[in-house]
Amino acid sequence: MPSMRHPILASALAATLAVALPFAAHAESVTLQVEQVTPGADPHTNARVVDIKLKPDSVKTLANFTRERVGQRVQFRANGILLSSATLMSPLDGDSLRITAGEHGFAGKSAEEIAQGIMKDGALTMDDENR
């Protein structure tokens, strides 16, 4: 930390940090409106999945958000529960998503419980990871 012998330098550093720190920890997010949600199992791995069909306006939102983040990690959440975290290899420009449960399910919840929660809320959130 700068000493008080250089008050101009100290105040310039403080101003820079005050502006930069909120952006360093800020994650941008989008809300995707859901048309249909179906719990199920992957036929090849038998892993529990939640298939999500988006409303037309959200298809464009998803494509725009992911196009700017290829190569970065993003997270999908529903009702405050982290459903998936993945590195984008390409933009997501379709009208549907499949989220596969991890080793312990969806934060201890079943695919059916997650699907019901998403349909009740009508939305899914996607955000930058650690941005």
mmCIF file of all heavy atoms in Angstrom, residues 1 14 22 24 33 40 50 54 56-57 71-72 74 92 100-101 104 111 117 119 121 123-126:
data_model
loop_
_atom_site.group_PDB
_atom_site.id
_atom_site.type_symbol
_atom_site.label_atom_id
_atom_site.label_comp_id
_atom_site.label_asym_id
_atom_site.label_seq_id
_atom_site.Cartn_x
_atom_site.Cartn_y
_atom_site.Cartn_z
ATOM 1 N N MET A 1 0.850 -1.183 0.000
ATOM 2 C CA MET A 1 0.000 0.000 0.000
ATOM 3 C C MET A 1 0.884 1.231 0.000
ATOM 4 O O MET A 1 1.866 1.291 0.736
ATOM 5 C CB MET A 1 -0.878 -0.061 1.264
ATOM 6 C CG MET A 1 -1.879 1.030 1.354
ATOM 7 S SD MET A 1 -3.273 0.597 0.301
ATOM 8 C CE MET A 1 -4.402 1.833 0.737
ATOM 9 N N ALA A 14 -6.286 4.284 -5.021
ATOM 10 C CA ALA A 14 -7.577 3.995 -4.385
ATOM 11 C C ALA A 14 -8.717 4.166 -5.383
ATOM 12 O O ALA A 14 -9.643 3.352 -5.428
ATOM 13 C CB ALA A 14 -7.780 4.897 -3.170
ATOM 14 N N PRO A 22 -15.182 -3.804 -8.396
ATOM 15 C CA PRO A 22 -16.534 -4.298 -8.642
ATOM 16 C C PRO A 22 -16.645 -5.083 -9.948
ATOM 17 O O PRO A 22 -17.391 -6.037 -10.039
ATOM 18 C CB PRO A 22 -17.389 -3.027 -8.702
ATOM 19 C CG PRO A 22 -16.612 -2.009 -7.945
ATOM 20 C CD PRO A 22 -15.163 -2.367 -8.164
ATOM 21 N N ALA A 24 -14.200 -6.874 -11.393
ATOM 22 C CA ALA A 24 -13.468 -8.129 -11.301
ATOM 23 C C ALA A 24 -14.339 -9.230 -10.721
ATOM 24 O O ALA A 24 -14.220 -10.382 -11.097
ATOM 25 C CB ALA A 24 -12.213 -7.938 -10.447
ATOM 26 N N GLN A 33 -36.190 -17.907 -20.583
ATOM 27 C CA GLN A 33 -37.570 -18.327 -20.352
ATOM 28 C C GLN A 33 -37.780 -19.718 -20.955
ATOM 29 O O GLN A 33 -37.382 -19.977 -22.088
ATOM 30 C CB GLN A 33 -38.542 -17.323 -20.960
ATOM 31 C CG GLN A 33 -38.432 -15.933 -20.358
ATOM 32 C CD GLN A 33 -38.652 -15.915 -18.862
ATOM 33 O OE1 GLN A 33 -39.602 -16.489 -18.360
ATOM 34 N NE2 GLN A 33 -37.752 -15.262 -18.142
ATOM 35 N N GLY A 40 -35.439 -37.074 -17.495
ATOM 36 C CA GLY A 40 -35.265 -38.374 -18.133
ATOM 37 C C GLY A 40 -33.910 -38.964 -17.831
ATOM 38 O O GLY A 40 -33.230 -38.561 -16.881
ATOM 39 N N VAL A 50 -32.071 -33.437 -17.618
ATOM 40 C CA VAL A 50 -33.219 -32.552 -17.723
ATOM 41 C C VAL A 50 -33.124 -31.905 -19.101
ATOM 42 O O VAL A 50 -32.150 -31.222 -19.415
ATOM 43 C CB VAL A 50 -33.227 -31.479 -16.615
ATOM 44 C CG1 VAL A 50 -34.370 -30.508 -16.818
ATOM 45 C CG2 VAL A 50 -33.301 -32.115 -15.240
ATOM 46 N N LEU A 54 -36.545 -23.916 -24.873
ATOM 47 C CA LEU A 54 -36.641 -22.490 -24.583
ATOM 48 C C LEU A 54 -37.728 -21.821 -25.404
ATOM 49 O O LEU A 54 -38.053 -22.258 -26.510
ATOM 50 C CB LEU A 54 -35.305 -21.808 -24.894
ATOM 51 C CG LEU A 54 -34.099 -22.303 -24.121
ATOM 52 C CD1 LEU A 54 -32.834 -21.635 -24.658
ATOM 53 C CD2 LEU A 54 -34.258 -22.057 -22.641
ATOM 54 N N PRO A 56 -39.028 -18.807 -27.812
ATOM 55 C CA PRO A 56 -38.308 -18.198 -28.950
ATOM 56 C C PRO A 56 -37.424 -16.993 -28.598
ATOM 57 O O PRO A 56 -36.299 -16.899 -29.090
ATOM 58 C CB PRO A 56 -39.434 -17.810 -29.909
ATOM 59 C CG PRO A 56 -40.512 -18.810 -29.627
ATOM 60 C CD PRO A 56 -40.443 -19.032 -28.122
ATOM 61 N N ASP A 57 -37.883 -16.085 -27.761
ATOM 62 C CA ASP A 57 -37.062 -14.917 -27.403
ATOM 63 C C ASP A 57 -35.784 -15.331 -26.679
ATOM 64 O O ASP A 57 -34.747 -14.684 -26.824
ATOM 65 C CB ASP A 57 -37.841 -13.941 -26.528
ATOM 66 C CG ASP A 57 -38.909 -13.185 -27.306
ATOM 67 O OD1 ASP A 57 -38.890 -13.226 -28.555
ATOM 68 O OD2 ASP A 57 -39.766 -12.549 -26.664
ATOM 69 N N GLY A 71 -14.983 -20.507 -25.226
ATOM 70 C CA GLY A 71 -13.712 -20.735 -24.530
ATOM 71 C C GLY A 71 -13.768 -20.411 -23.048
ATOM 72 O O GLY A 71 -12.815 -20.673 -22.323
ATOM 73 N N GLN A 72 -14.865 -19.849 -22.577
ATOM 74 C CA GLN A 72 -15.006 -19.495 -21.168
ATOM 75 C C GLN A 72 -15.990 -20.436 -20.477
ATOM 76 O O GLN A 72 -16.794 -21.097 -21.124
ATOM 77 C CB GLN A 72 -15.510 -18.057 -21.033
ATOM 78 C CG GLN A 72 -14.556 -17.035 -21.605
ATOM 79 C CD GLN A 72 -15.122 -15.632 -21.520
ATOM 80 O OE1 GLN A 72 -15.963 -15.333 -20.686
ATOM 81 N NE2 GLN A 72 -14.655 -14.757 -22.391
ATOM 82 N N VAL A 74 -19.226 -21.180 -18.129
ATOM 83 C CA VAL A 74 -20.520 -20.601 -17.775
ATOM 84 C C VAL A 74 -21.246 -21.579 -16.853
ATOM 85 O O VAL A 74 -20.890 -22.755 -16.765
ATOM 86 C CB VAL A 74 -21.391 -20.314 -19.023
ATOM 87 C CG1 VAL A 74 -20.756 -19.230 -19.884
ATOM 88 C CG2 VAL A 74 -21.637 -21.572 -19.820
ATOM 89 N N LEU A 92 -24.169 -21.554 -28.302
ATOM 90 C CA LEU A 92 -25.358 -22.396 -28.211
ATOM 91 C C LEU A 92 -26.469 -21.660 -28.941
ATOM 92 O O LEU A 92 -26.941 -20.636 -28.488
ATOM 93 C CB LEU A 92 -25.731 -22.632 -26.745
ATOM 94 C CG LEU A 92 -24.637 -23.268 -25.877
ATOM 95 C CD1 LEU A 92 -25.107 -23.380 -24.441
ATOM 96 C CD2 LEU A 92 -24.222 -24.609 -26.424
ATOM 97 N N THR A 100 -27.052 -32.613 -17.811
ATOM 98 C CA THR A 100 -26.838 -33.936 -17.230
ATOM 99 C C THR A 100 -26.409 -33.790 -15.786
ATOM 100 O O THR A 100 -25.542 -32.976 -15.464
ATOM 101 C CB THR A 100 -25.748 -34.690 -18.024
ATOM 102 O OG1 THR A 100 -26.153 -34.749 -19.395
ATOM 103 C CG2 THR A 100 -25.551 -36.093 -17.493
ATOM 104 N N ALA A 101 -27.002 -34.606 -14.933
ATOM 105 C CA ALA A 101 -26.673 -34.577 -13.502
ATOM 106 C C ALA A 101 -25.237 -35.027 -13.284
ATOM 107 O O ALA A 101 -24.727 -35.893 -14.008
ATOM 108 C CB ALA A 101 -27.621 -35.484 -12.732
ATOM 109 N N HIS A 104 -23.457 -36.729 -8.011
ATOM 110 C CA HIS A 104 -24.395 -36.712 -6.881
ATOM 111 C C HIS A 104 -25.740 -36.114 -7.264
ATOM 112 O O HIS A 104 -26.425 -35.534 -6.434
ATOM 113 C CB HIS A 104 -23.789 -35.943 -5.705
ATOM 114 C CG HIS A 104 -22.480 -36.516 -5.256
ATOM 115 N ND1 HIS A 104 -22.392 -37.714 -4.611
ATOM 116 C CD2 HIS A 104 -21.216 -36.062 -5.412
ATOM 117 C CE1 HIS A 104 -21.120 -37.978 -4.363
ATOM 118 N NE2 HIS A 104 -20.388 -36.998 -4.840
ATOM 119 N N ALA A 111 -33.765 -35.379 -10.979
ATOM 120 C CA ALA A 111 -34.084 -34.698 -12.241
ATOM 121 C C ALA A 111 -35.543 -34.251 -12.238
ATOM 122 O O ALA A 111 -35.868 -33.175 -12.744
ATOM 123 C CB ALA A 111 -33.800 -35.627 -13.421
ATOM 124 N N GLY A 117 -39.188 -27.638 -10.512
ATOM 125 C CA GLY A 117 -38.791 -26.305 -10.052
ATOM 126 C C GLY A 117 -38.605 -25.332 -11.199
ATOM 127 O O GLY A 117 -39.011 -24.172 -11.119
ATOM 128 N N MET A 119 -40.041 -25.515 -14.189
ATOM 129 C CA MET A 119 -41.352 -25.207 -14.774
ATOM 130 C C MET A 119 -42.154 -24.268 -13.873
ATOM 131 O O MET A 119 -42.836 -23.373 -14.365
ATOM 132 C CB MET A 119 -42.146 -26.490 -15.044
ATOM 133 C CG MET A 119 -41.731 -27.189 -16.315
ATOM 134 S SD MET A 119 -41.676 -26.152 -17.810
ATOM 135 C CE MET A 119 -43.392 -25.713 -18.017
ATOM 136 N N ASP A 121 -40.956 -21.974 -11.857
ATOM 137 C CA ASP A 121 -40.361 -20.646 -11.994
ATOM 138 C C ASP A 121 -40.470 -20.143 -13.434
ATOM 139 O O ASP A 121 -40.509 -18.940 -13.679
ATOM 140 C CB ASP A 121 -38.902 -20.703 -11.546
ATOM 141 C CG ASP A 121 -38.271 -19.348 -11.397
ATOM 142 O OD1 ASP A 121 -38.951 -18.421 -10.909
ATOM 143 O OD2 ASP A 121 -37.087 -19.185 -11.765
ATOM 144 N N ALA A 123 -38.146 -20.338 -15.640
ATOM 145 C CA ALA A 123 -36.903 -19.758 -16.129
ATOM 146 C C ALA A 123 -35.686 -20.529 -15.629
ATOM 147 O O ALA A 123 -35.737 -21.271 -14.668
ATOM 148 C CB ALA A 123 -36.807 -18.309 -15.681
ATOM 149 N N LEU A 124 -34.606 -20.283 -16.323
ATOM 150 C CA LEU A 124 -33.295 -20.835 -16.040
ATOM 151 C C LEU A 124 -32.320 -19.672 -16.141
ATOM 152 O O LEU A 124 -32.491 -18.793 -16.994
ATOM 153 C CB LEU A 124 -32.990 -21.887 -17.113
ATOM 154 C CG LEU A 124 -31.689 -22.643 -17.109
ATOM 155 C CD1 LEU A 124 -31.675 -23.610 -15.920
ATOM 156 C CD2 LEU A 124 -31.570 -23.438 -18.401
ATOM 157 N N THR A 125 -31.317 -19.632 -15.288
ATOM 158 C CA THR A 125 -30.335 -18.549 -15.328
ATOM 159 C C THR A 125 -29.003 -19.088 -15.822
ATOM 160 O O THR A 125 -28.600 -20.183 -15.452
ATOM 161 C CB THR A 125 -30.139 -17.941 -13.924
ATOM 162 O OG1 THR A 125 -31.402 -17.476 -13.453
ATOM 163 C CG2 THR A 125 -29.166 -16.785 -13.949
ATOM 164 N N MET A 126 -28.337 -18.308 -16.649
ATOM 165 C CA MET A 126 -27.002 -18.652 -17.128
ATOM 166 C C MET A 126 -26.099 -17.483 -16.792
ATOM 167 O O MET A 126 -26.458 -16.328 -17.030
ATOM 168 C CB MET A 126 -27.044 -18.886 -18.640
ATOM 169 C CG MET A 126 -25.742 -19.321 -19.223
ATOM 170 S SD MET A 126 -25.962 -19.608 -20.999
ATOM 171 C CE MET A 126 -24.501 -20.505 -21.345
#
